[in-house]
């Protein structure tokens, strides 16, 4: 007998390493820095939501739910979408509960992308999109958002769409750029997609964080888009419970049927008591309707504090991210600047270059303001020195 040996494994994702979010969080912990890097709240959710989870567990709602999700939650989500965005999804055939938006996006990609298909992503973009497409055997077609404003460049989007394009992934409100697509922009997208067979994966996890009275224009609100869209939401973002990993996908029945084929042999079902709790909690719209004002106040507090520094504030229309142009402070690359900021200033941030393949450099860093006021004030004391 030879010694036990682990077989060689050629990587399915040879270019993927540890994500920048984990790297910066570890560095923040090591340096005792205020962690404004990774996007998660440092405050707790509404205790009433926790009570509802506890109630569901004590009521014995602890076994497998239906594959597509607890019916009461799917009904609550369909009612919410109908009330806010005006489209009536059938909860039986068109709403699926997922293990967060991350699984929803992967499942949508696996369900629709065939080997050799192209999928358009708009850079900078969330880091899971490209590996998801590669896992499905697809080709990632990267189109930059307009440098400086991060608004969609429709000429480039239209030019990127061809006979092999299976889907486009759009994220509004946007992480990391905090841009919210206008109705005119969503309609322009609809116009470009109308003559094609291209599907839309609409990542709308920050749908309830839109500021200054602007509206979130969901793909579900534009019939031409909704007819071809997987619309992805996340309760983690909306109810300050990112660790719960519960989200939903709304899509026309034919698309949902394909989505569920992948879902049932991937996660199969999502944890039951959380779903019941969320269904009951959604009966009151106040928590999600009040989220924009809640985060707008934090955004304003944070921006007012940063105004004292030489960091230049980019617009923040939505999401819980504030990007800053640090070119008046440093010539370092974005990754080096974020490491320096964490070690020397004591505030962790994320380089925007991490959201681009090949690391496009713009001297911009992303800070997360989903933090307690005292955390933001501690960070501001340090950042005001810049
Ligand atoms: C744009 C975007 N999409 C998807 C996700 C993942 O959401 P979830 O935690 O529900 O998987 C995030 C989380 O940061 C995100 O920023």
């Amino acid at each position: 007998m030879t010694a036990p040996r682990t077989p060689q494994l050629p990587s399915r994702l040879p270019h993927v390493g540890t994500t920048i979010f984990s790297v910066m969080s570890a560095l923040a912990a090591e340096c005792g820095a205020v962690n404004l890097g990774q996007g998660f709240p440092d405050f707790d959710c509404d205790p009433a939501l926790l009570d509802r989870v506890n109630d569901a567990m004590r009521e014995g709602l602890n076994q497998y739910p239906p594959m597509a999700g607890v019916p009461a939650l799917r009904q609550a989500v369909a009612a919410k979408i109908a009330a806010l965005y005006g489209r009536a999804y059938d909860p039986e055939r068109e709403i699926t509960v997922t293990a967060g938006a991350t699984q929803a996006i992967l499942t949508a990609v696996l369900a629709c992308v065939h080997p050799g298909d192209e999928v358009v992503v708009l850079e900078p973009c969330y880091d899971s999109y490209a590996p998801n497409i590669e896992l499905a055997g697809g080709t990632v077609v990267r189109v930059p958002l307009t440098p400086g404003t991060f608004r969609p460049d429709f000429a480039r989007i239209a030019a990127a769409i061809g006979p092999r394009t299976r889907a486009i992934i759009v994220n509004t409100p946007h992480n990391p750029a905090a841009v919210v697509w206008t109705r005119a922009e969503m309609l322009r997208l609809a116009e470009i997609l109308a003559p094609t067979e291209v599907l839309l994966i609409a990542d709308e996890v920050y749908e309830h964080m839109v500021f200054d009275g602007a509206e979130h224009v969901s793909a579900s609100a534009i019939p031409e888009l909704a007819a071809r869209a997987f619309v992805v939401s996340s309760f983690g973002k909306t109810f300050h419970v990112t660790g719960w990993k519960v989200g939903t996908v709304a899509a026309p029945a034919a698309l949902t049927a394909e989505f569920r084929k992948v879902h049932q042999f991937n996660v199969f079902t999502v944890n039951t008591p959380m779903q019941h709790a969320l269904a009951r909690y959604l009966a009151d719209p106040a928590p999600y309707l009040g989220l924009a004002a809640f985060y707008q106040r934090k955004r304003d507090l944070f921006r007012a504090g940063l105004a004292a520094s030489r960091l230049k504030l980019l617009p923040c229309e939505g999401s819980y991210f504030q990007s800053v142009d640090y070119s008046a402070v440093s010539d370092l690359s974005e990754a080096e600047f974020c490491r320096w900021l964490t070690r020397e200033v004591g505030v962790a941030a994320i380089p925007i270059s991490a959201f681009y393949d090949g690391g496009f450099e713009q001297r911009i860093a992303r800070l997360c303001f989903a933090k307690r006021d005292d955390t933001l004030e501690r960070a501001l004391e340090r950042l005001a020195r810049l």
Side-chain angles (χ1 to χ4, degrees), residues 39 99-105 125-126 128-129 171 173-176 203-206 232-237 242-243 245-247 320-321 366:
T102 311
Q103 183 243 318
I105 296 163
C125 66
Y126 190 60
S128 74
Y129 300 165
N171 171 217
H174 189 263
N175 171 17
D203 180 347
E204 302 186 3
V205 299
Y206 300 103
V232 177
S233 294
S234 169
F235 294 111
K237 309 289 179 190
T242 57
K245 302 300 293 184
V246 186
Y320 48 46
F321 299 110
R366 188 198 79 176

Side-chain angles (χ1 to χ4, degrees), residues 19-142:
T19 74
I20 186 72
F21 308 102
S22 311
V23 171
M24 293 310 299
S25 284
L27 188 62
E30 188 189 310
C31 304
V34 184
N35 190 358
L36 303 189
Q38 207 169 0
F40 61 88
D42 71 345
F43 45 85
D44 219 339
C45 66
D46 183 351
L49 179 55
L50 300 180
D51 290 344
R52 286 178 172 80
V53 177
N54 203 30
D55 293 345
M57 287 181 170
R58 297 236 177 257
E59 286 166 32
L61 298 167
N62 298 303
Q63 307 309 328
Y64 293 130
M67 182 270 284
V70 164
L73 180 55
R74 283 185 276 137
Q75 285 153 17
V77 168
K80 173 170 168 286
I81 296 173
L84 295 182
Y85 309 132
R87 185 178 177 91
Y89 285 96
D90 173 0
E92 261 307 298
R93 298 182 310 137
E94 299 188 315
I95 306 277
T96 309
V97 181
T98 61
T102 311
Q103 183 243 318
I105 296 163
L106 172 63
T107 303
V109 167
L110 290 175
C112 63
V113 176
H114 296 246
D117 286 354
E118 294 179 355
V119 180
V120 175
V121 302
L122 308 180
E123 285 191 324
C125 66
Y126 190 60
D127 64 344
S128 74
Y129 300 165
N132 286 182
I133 296 160
E134 284 165 25
L135 280 177
T139 302
V140 184
V141 176
R142 300 166 195 276

Side-chain angles (χ1 to χ4, degrees), residues 144-154 179-182 185 317:
L145 293 164
T146 309
T149 65
F150 297 104
R151 301 225 72 94
D153 179 338
F154 288 109
V179 165
V180 175
W181 284 37
T182 62
E185 286 168 334
E317 301 174 340

Side-chain angles (χ1 to χ4, degrees), residues 317-337:
E317 301 174 340
S319 83
Y320 48 46
F321 299 110
Q322 174 64 57
S323 288
V324 292
D325 176 332
Y326 63 82
S327 49
V329 176
S330 167
D331 287 332
L332 291 172
S333 74
E334 292 179 6
E336 285 166 355
F337 175 78

